Amino acid sequence: MRLHAPAAAAAASTAPVVLVEVPAQDVAGVARLLHGKLGHCGGFMFHADQASAQRSLAQAVAAPLPGLVPPAYGIANRARVTPLLARMEAKQIARTIAGLAAFPDRFYNTAHGARASEWLRQGWAAVGEGHGKVLVETFAHAGYPQASVIATIAGSDLADEVVVLGAHLDSINTHAMEEQGALQAPGADDDASGVAGLTEVLRALSESKYRPRRTIKLIAYAAEEVGLRGSQDLARAFRQAGVRVVGVLQLDMINYKGSDEDIYLLRDYSNAEQNDFIKKLITTYLPGIRVGSDDCGYACSDHASWHAEGYPASMPFESSLAQANPYMHSKNDTFANSGGQAVHALKFARLAAAFAIELGSSKP
C-alpha cells in the first residue's frame, strides 16, 4: 500500500506532500506516529496502489461530475427547520456518546471496532423505525472488520441527488509507549460526539417524518484514523457510480469548546461557496453563535475524501485547531473531560439538521 502526507509538522495548506510506501501491517504504526509526533488527526491518505497515489499527487481534486448543477444556497424552509431544531436535545446526544465511549476501543481492525459498527447499525435502525422510509445498512471494507454505517432517507422528485452528513466511527489511542496494559480508546469527543450528533439529526428527521426532495445519507465512516480509508472507499464508489452528491458536511469533534468562537469552519479541503451557505444557516437558525475559521493544512478528516472526488464538502469544528481537545487520541478522551454534557455538540447537530433540510428541499 501507499500513502501521502504533509512533510512538515506545522503543515500549512501549501506544505509539500510526499508519497511513501510502507508494508500494509505498518499502517497502524504510521497512524500512531503521525498522531503522536505531529498532532495530526488522520494525517495521511491511504492508497492501495501506486497508480491511485500518483493520481492523487498529480491532481488533488477531481473535476465535478458532468451536468451536476450546484444547489440554490438559499434559506427557504424556516417553517420546517425551526420547530425541528427546537425538539433536538443535548441529553439525547450525550446518551449516544456514552454508548460509543463504553467500548474499550473502536479501532478499525479490532473486534471492538466491528461490534461498535453493529451496535450503531442497530441503534440507527431503531431510531429510523418511526419514519417508515429510513433504510439502515452497512458498507463492508476490504482488509479490516469494521464496517461503515449508512442511514438513507430517499428523496422524492430529486432522489438521484444526494446530501451527505458524515462522522467517523473509529477511535485511536496513540500513546502505545506511554500507557501500560490494554490501550483504552473511548474516543468520546473524537469522534463519538460527531456520530452522536448525526444520531440526533436522524432522530429529529424521523420523528417529524420529514420527506426530502433530495436523498439524504447519514454515514458513520470506518477507519478514518488510519488514512481516511472508509470515507475514501465510499467517496470513490459514489464517484464511479456517477452519484450526484450536491453537498457533504463532516462532524468530527464537536463537543469540546476550547475557543471563544462556537463553530470554526475549515477553509482548506472544502468548498468556499458551501462554507458561505453554512454561515447563512448559522445566522438564520443559530442566532448568537459565533463563527471562526481555520485551516488544517492537510487532509484532516473525511470531508477531504469527498473534496478529492470533486464533491462540495465542509467541516465545522469545535474550536480553533490550536485549542482542540487536548485529550484526543488517549484513554482520557472521555465524556467527563468534555464537560460531562453535550450542549456544545447540540449546536453542530442543529446546524447539520438545517443543512440537511435546506439542501434536501431546495430547488436545483
Side-chain angles (χ1 to χ4, degrees):
M1 52 77 64
R2 288 163 172 82
L3 53 90
H4 72 262
S13 58
T14 56
V17 177
V18 296
L19 176 62
V20 180
E21 181 175 4
V22 300
Q25 64 268 23
D26 292 341
V27 172
V30 170
R32 289 194 167 96
L33 177 65
L34 289 173
H35 284 76
K37 300 299 183 183
L38 302 184
H40 283 180
C41 186
F44 62 92
M45 295 186 77
F46 173 94
H47 300 282
D49 56 73
Q50 185 173 5
S52 65
Q54 293 288 1
R55 284 195 301 271
S56 184
L57 283 175
Q59 184 179 4
V61 182
L65 281 172
L68 179 59
V69 179
Y73 289 123
I75 306 296
N77 294 274
R78 288 180 178 87
R80 181 179 284 121
V81 174
T82 301
L84 184 143
L85 299 191
R87 290 195 295 269
M88 299 176 73
E89 299 177 343
K91 67 180 182 181
Q92 298 285 353
I93 298 173
R95 184 176 295 118
T96 305
I97 292 174
L100 287 168
F103 288 91
D105 69 75
R106 301 188 306 277
F107 202 52
Y108 80 115
N109 63 359
T110 67
H112 296 308
R115 283 195 289 271
S117 177
E118 176 58 18
W119 180 87
L120 185 66
R121 184 198 66 78
Q122 293 179 16
W124 278 9
V127 169
E129 278 183 357
H131 187 285
K133 297 291 184 179
V134 175
L135 172 66
V136 180
E137 55 194 334
T138 56
F139 184 100
H141 302 278
Y144 52 92
Q146 187 176 61
S148 296
V149 183
I150 305 172
T152 301
I153 305 175
S156 55
D157 57 310
L158 296 174
D160 64 334
E161 297 187 1
V162 178
V163 178
V164 173
L165 307 180
H168 72 85
L169 178 61
D170 60 322
S171 65
I172 191 171
N173 185 329
T174 62
H175 299 266
M177 302 303 295
E178 292 85 354
E179 296 181 1
Q180 301 298 316
L183 290 180
Q184 298 288 307
D189 191 32
D190 187 15
D191 184 29
S193 66
V195 176
L198 293 188
T199 305
E200 181 61 359
V201 172
L202 180 61
R203 186 186 72 84
L205 296 178
S206 296
E207 290 187 357
S208 69
K209 298 188 184 301
Y210 169 62
R211 290 299 306 277
R213 299 182 68 197
R214 293 185 172 92
T215 296
I216 296 174
K217 289 184 178 288
L218 294 84
I219 308 178
Y221 306 108
E224 184 268 354
E225 300 283 12
V226 287
L228 315 181
R229 293 177 69 173
S231 59
Q232 282 197 82
D233 285 349
L234 280 156
R236 288 169 180 167
F238 276 50
R239 176 75 190 205
Q240 290 168 4
V243 178
R244 299 160 64 85
V245 177
V246 301
V248 178
L249 186 72
Q250 175 74 0
L251 301 182
D252 189 348
M253 299 178 64
I254 62 172
N255 200 37
Y256 180 87
K257 191 177 187 304
S259 304
D260 291 337
E261 280 73 22
D262 298 279
I263 295 174
Y264 283 75
L265 286 171
L266 299 186
R267 291 172 295 222
D268 52 350
Y269 295 87
S270 65
N271 180 278
E273 187 175 6
Q274 184 173 276
N275 285 346
D276 287 340
F277 170 60
I278 290 172
K279 292 176 185 177
K280 290 198 296 185
L281 291 174
I282 294 171
T283 298
T284 302
Y285 294 117
L286 299 172
I289 294 299
R290 299 173 60 179
V291 181
S293 59
D294 208 344
D295 297 283
C296 259
Y298 63 100
C300 57
S301 193
D302 296 303
H303 63 294
S305 297
W306 297 93
H307 178 75
E309 296 299 332
Y311 294 121
S314 298
M315 180 170 150
F317 192 62
E318 66 186 10
S319 66
S320 69
L321 272 296
Q323 296 176 308
N325 192 329
Y327 304 108
M328 64 188 294
H329 306 149
S330 78
K331 67 181 180 183
N332 296 317
D333 183 2
T334 63
F335 186 52
N337 281 333
S338 289
Q341 46 72 40
V343 174
H344 196 45
L346 180 60
K347 304 166 190 174
F348 292 80
R350 285 174 168 162
L351 173 59
F355 179 87
I357 294 173
E358 287 290 2
L359 280 192
S361 299
S362 69
K363 296 180 180 179

